[in-house]
Amino acid sequence: MSNFEVIIYEKRNDIGYVTLNRPQALNAYNLQMRDELCQVLGAIKDDPEVKVAIFSGAGQRAFCAGADLSEFLTAPSPVIARQVRWERDVWGLFLSITKPLIAAVHGYVLGSGIEIALCCDIRLASEDAQFGLPEAGLGIIPAAGGSQTLPRVIGRAPALEILLTGRWIKAEEAHRLKLVNQVISRHELLPAAERLANKIKAYSPTALSCAKQAITSGLDLSLEQGLQLEAKLASCLLTQYPPISK
Ligand code: COA
């Protein structure tokens, strides 16, 4: 187990467990968390012993209540510029991981909280989860990829409504909008995520990586280009694992 200051990272049975760990501040995302998350994401990406990862939040009240307001509203502008560049790298790194990533979210899932969940592939939410993007009300816009990842997951109109009005949505609506894959009781949230991770990790890591790339990269391509990508990935897999001749 690696204990950073604001993230707990554990590796058990091929699964990486990432816990945002600032429960006293509702796991608000601060600079320290950004630095530690960057290290953890690098480890998940490069460590062959990690086949799938689960992201969750410590404490009873929140997965993550967004960016740490006490930090980013007081930072001088050159620092903000550096931070934005840095953050782009963190989110770029997050989205470049081709291993399956599961978010298990509860309580407040706001701002960067939603954005972290959107960098994952499968989102499980507990019944008490509440989602919101308060950025517009603060005079800013999401800067952790949310303006791009949210519409790609739930579509343009609902994403615009959530962003422009700042309206919070509860778990059931998030499920209806396909922002989350499943809604689960609070005490079952982590066990359910772990069952899912155990099922996924039994499959070939290369096949999983190709499947993830085919869908995530393919969505940004035309159908024709997407089909070419699929053919390329399928042929790479066949070269690596030729079919067993009978
Ligand atoms: N940044 C820094 N600290 C935060 C935080 C954030 N985004 N969200 C919550 N906290 C801290 C509070 O300051 C408080 O700390 P304190 O106990 O030292 O005073 C602690 O977490 C508990 O939050 P509190 O506001 O007392 O809980 P609540 O139940 O009354 O309200 C929220 C919960 C989520 C509605 C409220 O904390 C909130 O609106 N947070 C900001 C959400 C936000 O705008 N995020 C930024 C998105 S860009």
Side-chain angles (χ1 to χ4, degrees):
M1 177 164 111
S2 301
N3 249 327
F4 299 100
E5 240 174 78
V6 295
I7 286 188
I8 301 170
Y9 179 54
E10 298 166 87
K11 210 169 72 172
R12 288 194 307 271
N13 304 322
D14 300 331
I15 302 173
Y17 295 84
V18 184
T19 310
L20 309 182
N21 189 31
R22 293 184 77 207
Q24 72 290 354
L26 305 183
N27 299 320
Y29 179 83
N30 64 1
L31 296 177
Q32 178 86 27
M33 192 177 282
R34 177 204 64 195
D35 291 346
E36 294 181 11
L37 187 61
C38 200
Q39 291 185 56
V40 167
L41 292 172
I44 291 171
K45 186 170 182 170
D46 295 336
D47 184 347
E49 285 178 6
V50 175
K51 296 196 172 139
V52 47
I54 299 174
F55 293 76
S56 64
Q60 291 305 310
R61 303 193 53 213
F63 171 64
C64 171
D68 191 310
L69 293 173
S70 66
E71 274 186 352
F72 81 74
L73 291 181
T74 56
S77 59
V79 175
I80 291 178
R82 185 170 56 88
Q83 181 180 335
V84 167
R85 278 199 300 278
W86 243 102
E87 283 182 344
R88 209 165 278 151
D89 289 343
V90 174
W91 308 115
L93 173 60
F94 216 144
L95 292 168
S96 74
I97 296 175
T98 59
K99 294 176 185 177
L101 306 176
I102 299 168
V105 303
H106 73 283
Y108 296 113
V109 190
L110 306 174
S112 329
I114 293 196
E115 295 178 288
I116 290 173
L118 282 165
C119 287
C120 296
D121 307 306
I122 300 176
R123 283 164 290 280
L124 307 184
S126 63
E127 291 157 344
D128 67 349
Q130 298 186 62
F131 301 81
L133 284 174
E135 280 86 346
L138 297 166
I140 54 175
I141 66 166
S147 68
Q148 302 307 305
T149 50
L150 185 66
R152 279 169 170 75
V153 170
I154 67 173
R156 174 184 168 136
L160 276 167
E161 191 211 326
I162 288 171
L163 187 52
L164 297 181
T165 66
R167 182 170 74 84
W168 290 17
I169 60 173
K170 297 196 168 151
E172 273 313 322
E173 184 175 359
H175 188 227
R176 265 201 317 281
L177 289 173
K178 300 188 169 57
L179 174 58
V180 301
N181 297 73
Q182 284 180 50
V183 178
I184 295 163
S185 66
R186 180 75 182 86
H187 70 280
E188 259 297 306
L189 181 65
L190 284 176
E194 196 163 47
R195 277 196 299 278
L196 204 55
N198 277 320
K199 185 172 170 59
I200 291 171
K201 78 174 198 196
Y203 300 141
S204 146
T206 318
L208 291 171
S209 163
C210 288
K212 176 165 170 175
Q213 287 177 71
I215 290 189
T216 54
S217 303
L219 270 174
D220 291 330
L221 301 173
S222 67
L223 180 60
E224 192 186 347
Q225 290 166 328
L227 289 172
Q228 282 166 9
L229 173 68
E230 183 190 74
K232 197 170 124 202
L233 290 164
S235 117
C236 283
L237 267 176
L238 277 180
T239 321
Q240 195 176 341
Y241 302 111
I244 301 159
S245 50
K246 295 193 176 156

